Amino acid sequence: MKETLKVHFQFSPMAIRILLLSLCLSNLYASSSAVASSSQTATHTNNWAVLVCTSRFWFNYRHMANTLSLYRTVKRLGIPDERIILMLADDMACNARNKYPAQVFNNENHRLNLYGDNVEVDYRGYEVTVENFLRVLTGRHETAVPRSKRLLSDEGSHILLYMTGHGGEEFLKFQDSEELQSHDLADAVKQMKEKGRFKELLIMVDTCQAATLFSQLHSPGVLAIGSSLKGENSYSHHLDSDVGVSVVDRFTFYTLAFFERLNMYDNASLNSLFSSYNPSLLMSTAYYRTDLFPRRLEQVPVTNFFGSVMETIHTDRPYRARKRKESQDRIRMPLKEAVQDNQQRRLSDPEIEVRRVQAPEDSIGRTWNSLQNKMKIFEYPETFVYYGLVMMLPLLAVSTWLYS
Amino acid sequence: MAPKETPKMKQRPIVRLGILIISHSVVVSVICCISGVVALLLLPILAKNTYISENALMPGSANPMLSDQDVGEANKLVNALLDLKSEPISSGRVSTLVAEFISDLGAEVGYHKFYPESNQFHPLHFFSLPDSGSLQENVNCSMYGINVIGIARAPQGDGKEAVVLVTPYNSENADLSDALSIGLTYSVFSLLTQVTWLAKDIIWLVADSRYGEYSSVSAWLRDYQRPVFGASLILDSDTCDGGSRPYDLNNFMTCGKLIDNFKRAGTMAAALVVKVTEKSEPFVDTLNLYAEASNGQMPNLDLINIVNYLAVHRQGLHVKVKKLIPLLNAKWLNVLADILETVGVIFRRLNPQWKFGIPAAEYIDGTATLASSLYYQALGIPTGPHGAFRDYQVDAVTLEFSPYSLRKGRHKEFLLQGSRLIEGVIRSVNNLLEKFHQSFFLYLLTSPGRFVSVGVYMIPFILLVAPLPVMAASLYMNIFDFGPNTETGQLAVSPRSVTWLDAAKMVLIVHFWGAIVSLLPYCICQMDFSTPTMNLAIWSMLSALCFLLLCLVLGLHFNQTEKAKWVVLKSATLSAVFIGLCLMSVVNFATAEIGALLLVPLCLMIHPLKINPNMGTLVNFSRMALNFILLSMAFPPVSFFLLQGAVYGFHGIDIGDFWMWVESLWAWNSATYLYITMIHLPCWVLCLHILLHAR
C-alpha cells in the first residue's frame, strides 16, 4: 500500500489529471457498453518479457551476455521471473574455455556476474529453435509444456520481446541451423493480436540489419526498435582480453547504460531511451518503427515495457457490496463470450482478479478518490496546515461572537 | 502445293564451336600456351592478402598470461640440459630430466620407445601408410629412440580433443638452441597446466631426433593413431628381448609397462613443431614457417594465418617462408618486374580503380617465394616433422625461431616472446569448435601474408593443357579428308581405326614400360651397389634393355612408312599426356603444373626429323632445332640438372645427384616419382619416337 502511494506522489499533477480523466472515461465506457474485450480499451494488466539469445558457441559469448544483462535489468525493474521467458543456448558459463567457470560478465571490469543466483532459463540449449520461439509467442504449446515455459499474457499485457544474435536482411539466424524470417515474426505477432495476447508489444532486436526484420509487421500496438539499418552491421562494444572474447554488443551496452541510471519508480519515457542512442557510438543507426503504435512515445514510460509498474489505483476498502452489480452486468453478455471470458480468466493470472477488485466502480469510491487526489494538489502538508489554521480564525471569531 | 523441303540438319552450337576451335588448332595452341605461361608469371600480382576465415579462432583477443615466473622455470630446465651435455652418457638422462620436470608440473608423463625405420621403397604401399606389421622386417634392435610425452588435461574439457606441441631434441648433438627449444615449449606447457580455460588437452612430445626428426614423430603418431593390442608387445619381447637398455630407464621401462604407459588424449586438432636455430637474420628476431607436407599437402591456411598474425602483430617477430634465393638476383626477373610495375602504373593512370601491378621488389620477392612454394609442393617431400601429422589429416606447421636476441645473451627475453606466441596460437586453436575447415587447403604462398588460392592458380594449368585435346582432335581429323560422300564411309573407317589401334597399342606399351622402370630401383636397391652414379647407370641400362625386350616380344615395328602413322601416334600421345597431367593435377597440383610447363610445348611442337620440301630451309631448320631443344629439356635428368644449375650454379654437379634425388622421392613415397616414371618418361619416349620417325 505504501508503495502504491509513493507511486502516486511521484506522478506530476498533470499526469494525475490525465489519469483521472482516463479513469473516468474508461469507467464510462465500461458502464455504457458491456462488450469491453477489445484490446484497445483493455487496461494495462501485466508485463511480460521474452528474451531470446539465438546464437551458441563460445565466440558468441556477447549475445548471451546481452540477453542475461537485459534479463537482469527487467528483473530489477520489477518483472517477476515467472513472467520472463528466457531462451538461451546457455553454453557459456560452463564452457571449458571460460576462464571464470560458472560466471558470465558483460564488462571487462568483472564487477557484475550475470550468471549469479536465480537465473531461470526457460528454453535452454537446443530448445532454442524457431519452432519453440513461435510456439511461445502464439501460445500453441503441446499439452505437456509446463506453465512456466508459456507466455500467459492477456489482452492487457505489455510484452517486451528482445532478440539478439546474428541476422541479415529480413532474417535472424537461430543457432547456425535455422532462420526466423521477418514474415514469420510478423505472422506470429498477428496471431498474438488476434488471440488477444498483448495490448502493446515492444520488439527490440540487436543484430546486423535489424531494421529489416520489422518490414512485414502490420499489427497495431507494436513498437519495434532495431540496432541497425539495412546494410549496416551491429558491432560489439568491447573485448574482454582476460576472457578472450567480446562481452557485449554496442546497442545493448548503451541500452543498459540508460537503464542503469533508472530505478523502478523513474518516469523516463521511451522517447528518452530512443534518443539516447548515438549513431557514432553505436557505429550503426538505431531504427524505430512507431507507425503501428497508438501512443506518443513521450508519454510512455519505459517501465511500461521494461518494468512492471502499472496504474494501480488506491482504494480504501478492498471488498465492497456494489461488486455484485458488475457481475450482473457480465451475465448479460452473450453466452459464448462469457465462456471465452471465463476461460481466459482461468488461464490468466490471479492478478487480473485483484485488478477487478481494486478498480473503483461505485460513486462513493470515486468521490473519495477524487477528494483524495484533489488534496494532493496541495504540494506540501505544511500549506494544508496553514490553510487549516487560517480557516480556524473565522471559526474562532464566529464561536466567540456566538458566545458573547 | 508447297515443295517438300528436306530440312538441313543443323548442328548444335556447341558442336560448331568445337569444330571451329579444332580447325584453328594451331592458333588456339599458341595463344593458350603463351597465356598459360603469362598467367603463371602474373600469379604474384594476383595474390590476395590472407585473412582469418574462421570466426571461432579470435587470435590475439586474449592477453598472454605467460609470466616471468614460467620463463624462470624454463630457464632452469635449459641450464639443467646444458649441464647434462658436459656429462659423458646423456642420452637416457635427457628423457628422465625432462620427464621429471613435466611430472613436477603435475602433468601426466609417458615414454614412447620406437625403432627408427630406414626409409625403404615399398612399391605396393605407395599411397598407403606403413602399417605396424611391416615394421618387424627392418627393425634394428640396437637402435631405438625414446620420446617423452607430457599431457596436460583440460580441467573442464571433455577430453575429446587435443593440441600437440612437438620439440625435436637430439641429445647426442645438442647445443644451446636445442635446449632453448625445449625451454620454450616447457614454459608454455607449464602455464597450460595451470590455466582454467583449456578445452582441449595439450600433448607435449619431446621427440628423440637422433635418428631423424621426422621418423621419431611419425613413429609416435603411428602408435598413437593405431593402437596395437599384443603385436607390439611381441615385437618388443621377441625380436628385441634383452637389448641393452639404459640403466636409469630400467626401473619404469619394462616391455609390458611400456605398452600400458602409452599416453593418449583426444583427436588432434592441430600440431605445432617448435624449433630454435642459431643462424639468424641481422638485427631482427625471425620466425620461419614450414608448412609443406607429403605430396604437396598444406595445412589449413587459417593455421598459418594465426601464427603469422600473432607473430607480426603481437610479438613483433619477422615472419618468413622459404624462397628461392637465387631468383632474387635473376636478371630476367628484374626486367620482368620492372615491366610489370610500369604496366601497373599505366593501368592506374588510365583508371585509378584498377589495382593492378605491385612494386618491382615486391614482385621479385613474391615470385621467389611462389617458386619455392611450387617447388617444395611439387617435390612431395615434407619440409619438416609437421609432415607426419598431415598423413593423419592433422593440420601442423613448424615454427623455427631464429632469434637475434640470443647473440646478446638475452635468453629470457627470447623465451618470453616465443612462448607468448605459442600460447597465443594454442589459445586461438583452443577456441576452435571443429576441425580447421573454413579456410583454404589448396594454395600457394607468395609471402607469409599473401596467398594464391586454388581458383587462381588453376588458370595457368588449364590454359597450358587445354591445347592438348584440341590439337589431338585436329590431327586425328586431318589425317583423312572428310568427304561429303558417306557411302564410302564404311570403307574409309577400317584403315583409320587400324592405324588408331596401332598408335594406342604403342602408347600403352610405352606406359607399361614406364611402370616397369618405376619398379626397377627396388631391385637395384636389393643388389646394393655402392655409388649413386653406378646405380643410375644400371637403372638406365636396365630400362633400355626392358624397352628392347618389350618391343621384340610385343612386336613393335619401327619402320612404319605412312605419314598417317606418326600423326596418329602424335594424336594418341597428346591424349595420353592430357590424361596423365589431369590425373596428376588431382594428386599433386604443383607437379602437374611444372610437368605441363615442360611437356606441353614439346608435345605440341614435335615433328619428325625430315626436311619438308614445301617449306623453306630456315623454317625446317628452326623447327628441328626447337624440337631438339625442347626434347632434351624435357628429359627428366636434363631438366633436373638444368634446374639445379639455374638455382645453385653449374659447378659441382654430379651425375649421381639425380639418383639421390629420385631416391629421396621414392623414399618419401612422393607421387612425383610415379609421375616422372609413369607419365613424364613414357611421353618423352613417345615424342622421341615421333622425332626419329622415318619416312
Side-chain angles (χ1 to χ4, degrees):
Chain A
M1 193 64 91
K2 233 178 183 176
E3 282 195 353
T4 49
L5 273 175
K6 221 163 143 193
V7 171
H8 279 292
F9 274 124
Q10 280 173 355
F11 277 19
S12 64
M14 184 65 199
I16 291 167
R17 253 170 240 152
I18 292 165
L19 191 136
L20 272 173
L21 199 73
S22 63
L23 264 178
C24 294
L25 276 173
S26 66
N27 275 322
L28 263 170
Y29 229 84
S31 54
S32 63
S33 66
V35 186
S37 61
S38 164
S39 60
Q40 291 295 336
T41 53
T43 44
H44 176 194
T45 53
N46 51 22
N47 271 87
W48 286 81
V50 180
L51 311 175
V52 192
C53 162
T54 65
S55 48
R56 62 187 301 125
F57 307 132
W58 175 243
F59 60 97
N60 292 322
Y61 185 96
R62 62 181 188 279
H63 294 145
M64 180 167 158
N66 286 345
T67 317
L68 282 175
S69 318
L70 219 79
Y71 171 76
R72 182 185 158 276
T73 302
V74 296
K75 247 172 101 169
R76 188 174 63 86
L77 293 179
I79 304 185
D81 240 339
E82 65 261 24
R83 288 205 220 118
I84 302 175
I85 308 287
L86 186 56
M87 302 177 93
L88 280 183
D90 205 11
D91 58 347
M92 300 305 154
C94 295
N95 197 305
R97 295 166 184 85
N98 195 350
K99 192 180 169 189
Y100 302 95
Q103 297 182 58
V104 177
F105 300 104
N106 68 352
N107 200 309
E108 60 181 343
N109 60 23
H110 296 174
R111 281 209 206 109
L112 177 67
N113 175 20
L114 298 170
Y115 210 72
D117 301 328
N118 299 326
V119 177
E120 283 181 23
V121 185
D122 298 293
Y123 289 84
R124 185 186 295 269
Y126 290 111
E127 285 179 344
V128 185
T129 56
V130 172
E131 183 189 336
N132 279 346
F133 173 70
L134 294 177
R135 279 184 188 281
V136 165
L137 287 190
T138 54
R140 297 175 160 191
H141 290 284
E142 307 259 326
T143 43
V145 173
R147 277 175 68 87
S148 67
K149 292 176 104 173
R150 293 172 188 241
L151 180 71
L152 299 169
S153 58
D154 57 58
E155 69 224 357
S157 301
H158 283 189
I159 301 178
L160 166 71
L161 171 59
Y162 174 84
M163 293 189 280
T164 182
H166 290 287
E169 201 181 331
E170 303 213 1
F171 72 88
L172 175 61
K173 217 160 64 159
F174 267 66
Q175 301 207 346
D176 263 6
S177 63
E178 303 177 289
E179 280 158 14
L180 173 80
Q181 298 198 348
S182 58
H183 55 79
D184 297 334
L185 181 69
D187 184 52
V189 170
K190 205 172 264 178
Q191 285 188 47
M192 288 169 82
K193 191 75 203 171
E194 289 294 313
K195 289 178 159 184
R197 286 173 66 76
F198 69 87
K199 178 166 182 275
E200 285 172 5
L201 172 67
L202 171 62
I203 306 178
M204 190 178 229
V205 178
D206 188 352
T207 68
C208 297
Q209 312 198 36
T212 57
L213 205 61
F214 311 138
S215 59
Q216 308 289 330
L217 291 172
H218 294 300
S219 310
V222 178
L223 182 62
I225 173 154
S227 59
S228 49
L229 293 175
K230 183 179 174 181
E232 283 184 341
N233 288 335
S234 296
Y235 294 99
S236 65
H237 184 261
H238 68 269
L239 181 99
D240 183 345
S241 50
D242 205 20
V243 182
V245 282
S246 302
V247 283
V248 70
D249 277 320
R250 284 178 176 265
F251 178 75
T252 307
F253 181 85
Y254 290 108
T255 308
L256 294 174
F258 176 84
F259 280 111
E260 282 306 304
R261 284 183 273 114
L262 297 185
N263 64 21
M264 203 188 271
Y265 315 112
D266 271 322
N267 209 11
S269 68
L270 273 181
N271 198 47
S272 61
L273 167 67
F274 289 0
S275 54
S276 75
Y277 297 124
N278 182 350
S280 62
L281 288 176
L282 288 185
M283 293 166 78
S284 61
T285 322
Y287 164 87
Y288 10 95
R289 187 168 168 197
T290 52
D291 55 336
L292 300 168
F293 197 66
R295 293 195 281 164
R296 295 190 59 203
L297 294 183
E298 292 86 359
Q299 293 162 1
V300 187
V302 283
T303 45
N304 263 6
F305 289 103
F306 292 89
S308 192
V309 180
M310 281 165 291
E311 299 154 357
T312 316
I313 290 95
H314 170 70
T315 55
D316 56 341
R317 277 178 290 170
Y319 304 104
R320 53 189 70 255
R322 297 285 299 274
K323 207 191 132 204
R324 274 179 166 274
K325 200 176 176 184
E326 192 226 19
S327 57
Q328 276 172 359
D329 277 348
R330 291 265 163 186
I331 289 162
R332 253 181 268 143
M333 285 194 305
L335 194 68
K336 231 181 177 178
E337 272 193 39
V339 169
Q340 210 174 25
D341 193 55
N342 273 337
Q343 274 179 342
Q344 260 181 16
R345 209 181 292 185
R346 230 182 296 135
L347 271 173
S348 57
D349 270 14
E351 195 78 13
I352 297 164
E353 303 294 321
V354 175
R355 173 186 64 100
R356 294 236 164 95
V357 169
Q358 283 185 342
E361 287 107 8
D362 54 343
S363 53
I364 303 167
R366 215 184 302 163
T367 41
W368 169 250
N369 267 325
S370 59
L371 199 71
Q372 207 180 25
N373 282 318
K374 263 178 200 157
M375 286 198 330
K376 266 171 228 140
I377 296 168
F378 304 111
E379 286 185 8
Y380 303 105
E382 289 87 34
T383 40
F384 182 68
V385 173
Y386 297 150
Y387 276 119
L389 280 174
V390 170
M391 292 278 278
M392 289 293 272
L393 283 173
L395 217 84
L396 199 75
V398 168
S399 59
T400 44
W401 178 69
L402 276 177
Y403 276 102
S404 63
Chain B
M1 292 254 301
K4 214 177 184 180
E5 281 181 38
T6 47
K8 202 181 170 188
M9 279 294 283
K10 217 178 174 191
Q11 279 164 319
R12 289 191 305 175
I14 188 140
V15 178
R16 276 186 291 160
L17 184 71
I19 288 172
L20 182 77
I21 289 175
I22 287 167
S23 58
H24 297 91
S25 62
V26 177
V27 181
V28 169
S29 306
V30 170
I31 290 174
C32 278
C33 274
I34 290 173
S35 54
V37 175
V38 169
L40 189 64
L41 290 171
L42 285 182
L43 282 185
I45 295 176
L46 299 174
K48 284 186 287 187
N49 284 330
T50 53
Y51 55 94
I52 287 152
S53 182
E54 170 70 88
N55 282 332
L57 287 170
M58 303 184 291
S61 62
N63 282 340
M65 292 168 70
L66 206 119
S67 61
D68 291 323
Q69 199 192 339
D70 299 301
V71 171
E73 288 295 312
N75 213 25
K76 270 185 212 165
L77 176 60
V78 171
N79 290 333
L81 283 171
L82 290 176
D83 288 344
L84 270 189
K85 223 183 89 183
S86 52
E87 288 175 25
I89 312 158
S90 64
S91 61
R93 284 287 297 143
V94 170
S95 342
T96 37
L97 181 77
V98 175
E100 272 167 25
F101 266 82
I102 294 175
S103 59
D104 283 350
L105 291 173
E108 295 174 25
V109 191
Y111 293 92
H112 170 243
K113 185 178 175 186
F114 67 95
Y115 298 96
E117 234 184 312
S118 56
N119 277 319
Q120 285 281 326
F121 182 45
H122 307 288
L124 291 182
H125 355 107
F126 213 87
F127 291 112
S128 66
L129 298 164
D131 56 340
S132 38
S134 69
L135 263 179
Q136 299 180 1
E137 302 154 22
N138 358 317
V139 157
N140 185 348
C141 289
S142 59
M143 275 169 57
Y144 64 91
I146 292 163
N147 294 329
V148 182
I149 297 116
I151 296 181
R153 303 277 175 196
Q156 295 166 69
D158 49 9
K160 285 179 187 162
E161 284 179 304
V163 181
V164 188
L165 285 170
V166 180
T167 323
Y169 189 77
N170 184 354
S171 51
E172 282 169 3
N173 187 23
D175 52 10
L176 174 66
S177 58
D178 291 316
L180 275 175
S181 68
I182 295 240
L184 195 63
T185 329
Y186 175 77
S187 61
V188 181
F189 191 75
S190 73
L191 171 81
L192 294 175
T193 51
Q194 299 154 25
V195 295
T196 50
W197 45 256
L198 274 186
K200 296 172 167 59
D201 297 343
I202 305 294
I203 307 175
W204 180 22
L205 172 70
V206 183
D208 189 347
S209 59
R210 270 176 297 171
Y211 310 106
E213 290 171 354
Y214 184 91
S215 64
S216 56
V217 176
S218 72
W220 175 74
L221 267 173
R222 192 171 51 233
D223 290 351
Y224 186 96
Q225 302 283 8
R226 302 182 174 198
V228 189
F229 304 102
S232 187
L233 193 73
I234 292 163
L235 174 80
D236 264 354
S237 50
D238 287 1
T239 33
C240 295
D241 202 16
S244 61
R245 291 208 176 81
Y247 59 97
D248 48 357
L249 288 176
N250 261 337
N251 18 359
F252 43 83
M253 279 196 52
T254 56
C255 281
K257 232 181 166 183
L258 199 69
I259 306 297
D260 293 336
N261 269 353
F262 199 91
K263 297 283 181 194
R264 283 193 173 81
T267 324
M268 294 172 197
L272 299 174
V273 182
V274 181
K275 288 205 275 190
V276 181
T277 65
E278 297 260 4
K279 60 171 195 283
S280 68
E281 300 273 309
F283 311 118
V284 275
D285 293 336
T286 316
L287 175 72
N288 296 306
L289 283 182
Y290 299 94
E292 287 89 1
S294 56
N295 283 326
Q297 298 181 85
M298 296 291 278
N300 195 289
L301 189 56
D302 265 344
L303 185 62
I304 293 177
N305 287 346
I306 51 176
V307 173
N308 182 44
Y309 175 83
L310 290 171
V312 172
H313 294 104
R314 289 290 184 274
Q315 304 305 331
L317 290 164
H318 181 64
V319 180
K320 282 170 65 180
V321 284
K322 246 187 194 176
K323 55 178 98 160
L324 287 183
I325 303 294
L327 265 186
L328 293 179
N329 304 321
K331 283 268 167 49
W332 64 271
L333 191 62
N334 280 305
V335 173
L336 184 68
D338 287 337
I339 292 170
L340 285 172
E341 192 183 1
T342 328
V343 171
V345 168
I346 292 167
F347 266 81
R348 217 164 302 144
R349 205 168 292 156
L350 288 175
N351 187 348
Q353 300 289 313
W354 291 344
K355 294 274 188 299
F356 182 82
I358 49 174
E362 202 179 314
Y363 177 79
I364 294 169
D365 208 58
T367 311
T369 319
L370 184 81
S372 139
S373 195
L374 204 62
Y375 176 68
Y376 285 103
Q377 284 190 26
L379 269 190
I381 298 174
T383 47
H386 58 266
F389 287 94
R390 192 64 234 172
D391 292 343
Y392 298 91
Q393 311 306 318
V394 179
D395 296 290
V397 70
T398 296
L399 316 179
E400 191 186 64
F401 295 87
S402 54
Y404 177 68
S405 45
L406 268 196
R407 286 197 191 157
K408 299 185 202 154
R410 295 185 307 200
H411 296 178
K412 283 195 174 178
E413 217 168 274
F414 160 69
L415 282 178
L416 192 68
Q417 193 183 29
S419 43
R420 279 191 167 167
L421 168 66
I422 299 168
E423 184 208 337
V425 175
I426 285 186
R427 188 146 192 189
S428 181
V429 174
N430 183 53
N431 283 339
L432 196 67
L433 300 155
E434 300 144 306
K435 274 170 71 97
F436 279 103
H437 68 280
Q438 282 280 356
S439 200
F440 293 95
F441 283 98
L442 302 167
Y443 56 90
L444 296 166
L445 289 173
T446 61
S447 83
R450 288 170 75 83
F451 75 106
V452 185
S453 77
V454 56
V456 177
Y457 74 59
M458 286 264 292
I459 296 169
F461 178 73
I462 290 172
L463 283 173
L464 274 175
V465 297
L468 293 175
V470 173
M471 190 60 120
S474 132
L475 284 175
Y476 186 65
M477 283 167 79
N478 291 339
I479 300 166
F480 300 99
D481 295 325
F482 278 102
N485 50 338
T486 45
E487 296 143 44
T488 55
Q490 202 68 20
L491 288 166
V493 162
S494 58
R496 196 148 62 115
S497 66
V498 167
T499 18
W500 181 81
L501 274 178
D502 277 347
K505 197 172 106 185
M506 178 76 188
V507 169
L508 272 180
I509 288 169
V510 174
H511 276 87
F512 179 62
W513 168 77
I516 294 172
V517 170
S518 75
L519 294 178
L520 282 176
Y522 182 59
C523 314
I524 298 170
C525 279
Q526 303 289 339
M527 288 188 273
D528 197 28
F529 292 102
S530 50
T531 60
T533 322
M534 187 73 177
N535 281 332
L536 188 64
I538 290 169
W539 190 22
S540 30
M541 266 164 57
L542 280 179
S543 307
L545 201 70
C546 281
F547 191 68
L548 287 176
L549 272 177
L550 267 180
C551 292
L552 283 178
V553 171
L554 294 168
L556 277 186
H557 341 278
F558 289 100
N559 52 351
Q560 290 144 343
T561 45
E562 281 176 74
K563 186 219 172 199
K565 290 274 181 183
W566 76 262
V567 177
V568 172
L569 185 60
K570 183 175 172 182
S571 165
T573 310
L574 286 173
S575 318
V577 171
F578 179 69
I579 293 168
L581 284 176
C582 286
L583 275 179
M584 194 55 208
S585 75
V586 178
V587 179
N588 188 345
F589 185 84
T591 312
E593 176 79 58
I594 293 176
L597 271 179
L598 291 170
L599 268 187
V600 169
L602 167 70
C603 293
L604 290 176
M605 287 291 296
I606 200 74
H607 196 272
L609 277 180
K610 174 185 71 78
I611 311 276
N612 192 339
N614 297 340
M615 292 190 211
T617 350
L618 192 68
V619 175
N620 269 322
F621 183 73
S622 58
R623 188 166 68 187
M624 271 162 61
L626 207 60
N627 271 331
F628 264 119
I629 292 169
L630 285 174
L631 196 72
S632 50
M633 265 175 65
F635 186 48
V638 176
S639 40
F640 169 75
F641 286 119
L642 280 178
L643 205 69
Q644 288 282 309
V647 174
Y648 302 110
F650 282 97
H651 47 268
I653 281 184
D654 186 26
I655 303 293
D657 286 352
F658 182 68
W659 172 265
M660 308 270 273
W661 184 71
V662 172
E663 195 175 38
S664 75
L665 285 185
W666 55 250
W668 289 99
N669 282 357
S670 168
T672 308
Y673 174 71
L674 285 191
Y675 165 77
I676 288 174
T677 51
M678 288 172 74
I679 296 167
H680 198 103
L681 193 63
C683 291
W684 183 82
V685 169
L686 285 169
C687 287
L688 184 70
H689 182 66
I690 294 167
L691 187 78
L692 299 177
H693 204 283
R695 193 299 292 261

